[in-house]
Amino acid sequence: MSSVEEISNPVAENLEEDGVEEENTVEEAEMEYEEPVKGGYIFYRDRKEWADLEPVPQDDGPNPVVKIAYSEKFTDVFDMFRALLKNDEKSERAFALTAEAIELNAANYTVWHYRRVLLQALDKDLREEMKYITAIIEDQPKNYQVWHHRRMVVEWLNDPSEELQFVAEILSQDAKNYHAWQHRQWVMQEYKLWDGELEYVEELLEEDVRNNSAWNQRHFVISHTRGYSDSAILEREVQYTLKQIKKAPHNESAWNYLNGILQDGGLSSYPGLLEQVTELQDTCSSPYLTAFLVDLYEDALETNSSSYDQQETLNKALENLMNISQFGGLYKNRHHSKPVIKLCKLLAEEKDTIRREYWNYVSRSLQNTYGSGDPVASSSDPPPPSSSQQPDTEPSDP
Amino acid sequence: GTQVKDVVIKPEAPNTLLLDKHADYIAAYGSKKDDYEYTLSEYLRMSGIYWGLTVMDLMGQLSRMNREEIIEFIKSCQHDCGGISASTGHDPHLLYTLSAVQILSLYDSINVIDVDKVVDYVKGLQQEDGSFAGDKWGEIDTRFSFCAVATLALLGKLDVINMDKAVGFVLSCMNFDGGFGCRPGSESHAGQIYCCTGFLSITGQLHQVNADLLGWWLCERQLPSGGLNGRPEKLPDVCYSWWVLASLKIIGRIHWIDKAKLRSFILACQDEETGGFADRPGDMVDPFHTLFGVAGLSLLGDEQIKPVNPVFCMPEDVLQRIGLQPDFQPSNRGKLSSSTNDWHTV
């Protein structure tokens, strides 16, 4: 079940929304109703060793006159927990109780705080604590508190040796677990554990080439090791990404990655890129490919860097796309538009209609900036300043 | 084409806005049904109250909530260090400190707590690198950067923190796709993007965002059903109607979303019997998704709902009363000074 633990204000910690199983909402996490207390279980309030403590009932704040109908075990454990807190008791029995409280509600951050205070005050065995937190995370991997607790223990022990293996296990159950990835990145950066990570990322992408977290991790690893300014690395990455696109053309993450790593150098400046992307058209056509060509054309216009040949190739690519579109004929007849503007119209009106306002914006920007004349003639004009920082004031925007 | 990860909205799903049912749902929440769930969520009670009050105020129904009890409750949650906890007997945390300040702003009763101590608490959580911890245990996250500046802005005390470093840290969380994660290098995620664009709006630094690139990433969140997801290849969830939409509004590109399709997705997330909104059609409702469903509809221009401020997720009229008008558009105008809080008088 998914859980939304510290959801706050407009800020949600709820990052579970994945999977095809019905993920339910907010406080559903630990909403397994307790089965009737089994024979042999004694409530804390009835235990001799706890007789010295006065259980503290829940103060509900607003709506105090409420008949609360939740399980007796939950009440019993948390009433006793509140009593311990009130007395600031630091004892073994308190430590044991935190485990019970966590089992009933692992999202309760106050219990975790108290457990950490006790771990230090009682000088508990942190290796044992690692085993404990491992089990808890395996059971409830989408909870901020458990991961933060594990990080604290790793820091106290100053021992990351189990971490990458552990996170890999958790990711094998859910390869996009946001908390798991944060922990992994922290461990790698803190303890400089970069070796083998690129291989690990490639394994994950073999399993699911659309795993956005893995693409992000790829960027993370490379940025922190050899970096993208190394042209051999950049070339390797471009080829790798194009290869993945051939395997699964409709892949937002791969296209975002390709775009992202080429931002600095400029899309149109990368040699041979246009030809390689154009080649993908017949078999790997997707709105993303089309969008990429638009971006490439836009970059070419902006930097004025493309050759006449490149312009011709691009125009042919765009024409080709329109040919394979069912409405291509309509666009071809708009004589006074550049091919790229026709392409924006194609996206707006047929291939990516849900984002038509975006494509109309791109189209308008191109028209305003570069006019609609012949690309070769206008390439001698100085490029106007980028308008990307201005708000896009559309009539529908209040 | 390939299978897109999405939901299918059934023809019998709700398609009109059931505001009265939602008001009844919130007014009754915690008083009779779902007691186990209510108890389990004690550790976030302050935020739960903020969600309930805000959505009631947006629907014009704030008077149905118990103001005096809530104010007393908040007073009992401020600790000696100045920080505020989710409930009595819990530890203070930046998340619940913000929620408390938001509630007291709604009720125009900010002085029932020790404001100076709150400010000290927030200031004390800023780290060397400009980031903010959530509490004394040191978890770092851009969510907390947002909580810190939003709290201080509502109190008119933005000047107490190291603004340049705070901004520097948030910008260091900007990724290759234009989005933001929780720490430098973390995957872009709509919730974190909301926090970071909200942060940059409050601190007058929106011009540092690549609005076209980020706007594109955000409008790519829209799926064929009309709903929005939080990152690529994930299912839609109504709370992203808030985080994605508010972010787009802040960077001046809200119309890049197909509004009609989003509206029909949000409406389909209502429960006609119980009132309230769920994360997606057919699931169980809760106050969290109810607030963001209604707030999302407000951003889309529904006239039955009060205008909502996209940075603070509070009614605009409350912020006007306080005198807060953060800049919504990327601007080089420089009028939003980062070193003082005089932006709110512009």
Side-chain angles (χ1 to χ4, degrees), chain A residues 16-24 142 174 176, chain B residues 3-7 233-235 280 283:
Chain A
E16 27 65 45
E17 23 70 64
D18 56 313
V20 291
E21 65 268 22
E22 283 276 51
E23 294 290 73
N24 246 316
K142 290 180 181 174
D174 173 4
K176 300 179 190 180
Chain B
Q3 191 93 28
V4 176
K5 208 160 175 180
D6 197 1
V7 299
E233 294 297 314
K234 293 291 210 144
L235 288 172
R280 48 191 79 99
D283 280 357

Side-chain angles (χ1 to χ4, degrees), chain B residues 71-102:
Chain B
I71 289 178
E72 284 310 303
F73 174 70
I74 294 176
K75 282 158 77 171
S76 75
C77 290
Q78 185 168 31
H79 292 242
D80 291 338
C81 62
I84 299 173
S85 52
S87 187
T88 41
H90 285 255
D91 290 314
H93 196 286
L94 200 44
L95 293 168
Y96 309 111
T97 303
L98 172 59
S99 291
V101 168
Q102 286 172 304

Side-chain angles (χ1 to χ4, degrees), chain A residues 4-20 22-28 30-34 58-64 66-71 74 82 85 104-105 107-110 113 116-117 120 144 148 151-152 156 176-178 182-183 185 189 210 212-213 215-216 219-220 250 252-253 256-257 260 263 288 291 352-359 361 387-394 396-398, chain B residues 2 4-5 29-31 35-44 47 49-51 69-70 73 85-93 95-96 98-99 102 135 137-139 141 143 146-147 176 181-187 189 192 194-195 207 209-213 216-217 219-224 230-235 237 240 242-243 249 252-256 258-259 261 279-280 283-286 288-289 292 312-313 329-330:
Chain A
V4 180
E5 321 72 21
E6 290 155 7
I7 302 151
S8 154
N9 347 309
V11 180
E13 292 203 9
N14 179 5
L15 299 164
E16 27 65 45
E17 23 70 64
D18 56 313
V20 291
E22 283 276 51
E23 294 290 73
N24 246 316
T25 59
V26 186
E27 300 90 355
E28 290 263 70
E30 293 82 20
M31 236 184 93
E32 294 143 357
Y33 284 81
E34 295 281 326
Q58 173 162 312
D59 173 1
D60 269 329
N63 301 317
V66 166
K67 185 175 182 296
I68 294 173
Y70 52 84
S71 86
F74 188 95
R82 278 182 278 274
L85 273 186
L104 291 166
N105 190 355
N108 188 318
Y109 69 102
T110 298
H113 289 187
R116 280 193 287 276
V117 166
Q120 292 184 313
Y144 276 89
H148 186 64
R151 175 171 159 163
M152 299 286 328
W156 286 341
K176 300 179 190 180
N177 183 325
Y178 200 75
Q182 296 331 303
H183 188 78
Q185 287 192 344
Q189 245 184 318
R210 294 193 182 81
N212 194 64
S213 308
W215 283 102
N216 182 72
H219 193 273
F220 179 74
H250 197 96
E252 201 181 328
S253 305
N256 282 347
Y257 183 77
Q263 285 280 303
Y288 304 115
D352 197 21
T353 58
I354 207 167
R355 273 166 283 276
R356 74 181 78 80
E357 292 299 333
Y358 174 77
W359 294 114
Y361 169 78
S387 61
S388 76
Q389 294 311 313
Q390 296 311 306
D392 181 21
T393 50
E394 263 310 85
S396 51
D397 196 12
Chain B
T2 13
V4 176
K5 208 160 175 180
Y29 185 77
S31 67
D35 293 321
Y36 188 60
E37 173 189 308
Y38 184 76
T39 308
L40 269 183
S41 58
E42 186 190 81
Y43 69 90
L44 54 69
S47 294
I49 295 172
Y50 155 76
W51 302 326
E69 272 187 355
I70 291 169
F73 174 70
S85 52
S87 187
T88 41
H90 285 255
D91 290 314
H93 196 286
L95 293 168
Y96 309 111
L98 172 59
S99 291
Q102 286 172 304
D135 65 11
W137 293 99
E139 185 191 355
D141 191 320
R143 286 179 297 140
F146 172 78
C147 290
F176 62 87
C182 71
R183 289 189 281 276
S186 303
E187 188 184 358
H189 182 280
Q192 310 291 151
Y194 163 78
C195 292
H207 55 278
V209 170
N210 185 332
D212 281 354
L213 184 62
W216 165 243
W217 191 94
C219 76
E220 274 196 303
R221 297 306 108 237
Q222 190 161 32
L223 296 163
R231 42 182 175 143
E233 294 297 314
K234 293 291 210 144
L235 288 172
D237 182 325
Y240 294 112
W242 176 256
W243 291 313
K249 178 77 178 179
R253 277 138 176 80
I254 193 173
H255 50 279
W256 285 2
D258 183 320
K259 292 184 180 177
K261 292 197 97 173
D279 58 351
R280 48 191 79 99
D283 280 357
M284 273 186 62
V285 304
D286 61 61
F288 174 80
H289 290 94
F292 296 127
F312 291 92
C313 192
Q329 297 165 1

Side-chain angles (χ1 to χ4, degrees), chain B residues 169-292:
Chain B
F169 176 76
V170 169
L171 292 177
S172 76
C173 298
M174 194 187 298
N175 294 320
F176 62 87
D177 50 20
F180 294 83
C182 71
R183 289 189 281 276
S186 303
E187 188 184 358
S188 296
H189 182 280
Q192 310 291 151
I193 289 169
Y194 163 78
C195 292
C196 293
T197 52
F199 173 97
L200 293 168
S201 171
I202 291 170
T203 57
Q205 298 291 317
L206 276 174
H207 55 278
Q208 312 255 25
V209 170
N210 185 332
D212 281 354
L213 184 62
L214 178 56
W216 165 243
W217 191 94
L218 287 168
C219 76
E220 274 196 303
R221 297 306 108 237
Q222 190 161 32
L223 296 163
S225 64
L228 308 178
N229 62 19
R231 42 182 175 143
E233 294 297 314
K234 293 291 210 144
L235 288 172
D237 182 325
V238 92
C239 63
Y240 294 112
S241 310
W242 176 256
W243 291 313
V244 173
L245 213 58
S247 302
L248 281 168
K249 178 77 178 179
I250 291 169
I251 64 173
R253 277 138 176 80
I254 193 173
H255 50 279
W256 285 2
I257 287 291
D258 183 320
K259 292 184 180 177
K261 292 197 97 173
L262 178 58
R263 182 182 166 85
S264 60
F265 175 85
I266 298 174
L267 293 177
C269 294
Q270 298 173 105
D271 186 317
E272 284 168 319
E273 285 174 34
T274 60
F277 289 73
D279 58 351
R280 48 191 79 99
D283 280 357
M284 273 186 62
V285 304
D286 61 61
F288 174 80
H289 290 94
T290 302
L291 168 61
F292 296 127

Side-chain angles (χ1 to χ4, degrees), chain A residues 304-316:
Chain A
N304 237 356
S305 64
S306 58
S307 64
Y308 179 81
D309 286 340
Q310 197 180 35
Q311 298 271 6
E312 277 302 294
T313 311
L314 189 53
N315 287 341
K316 282 208 180 70

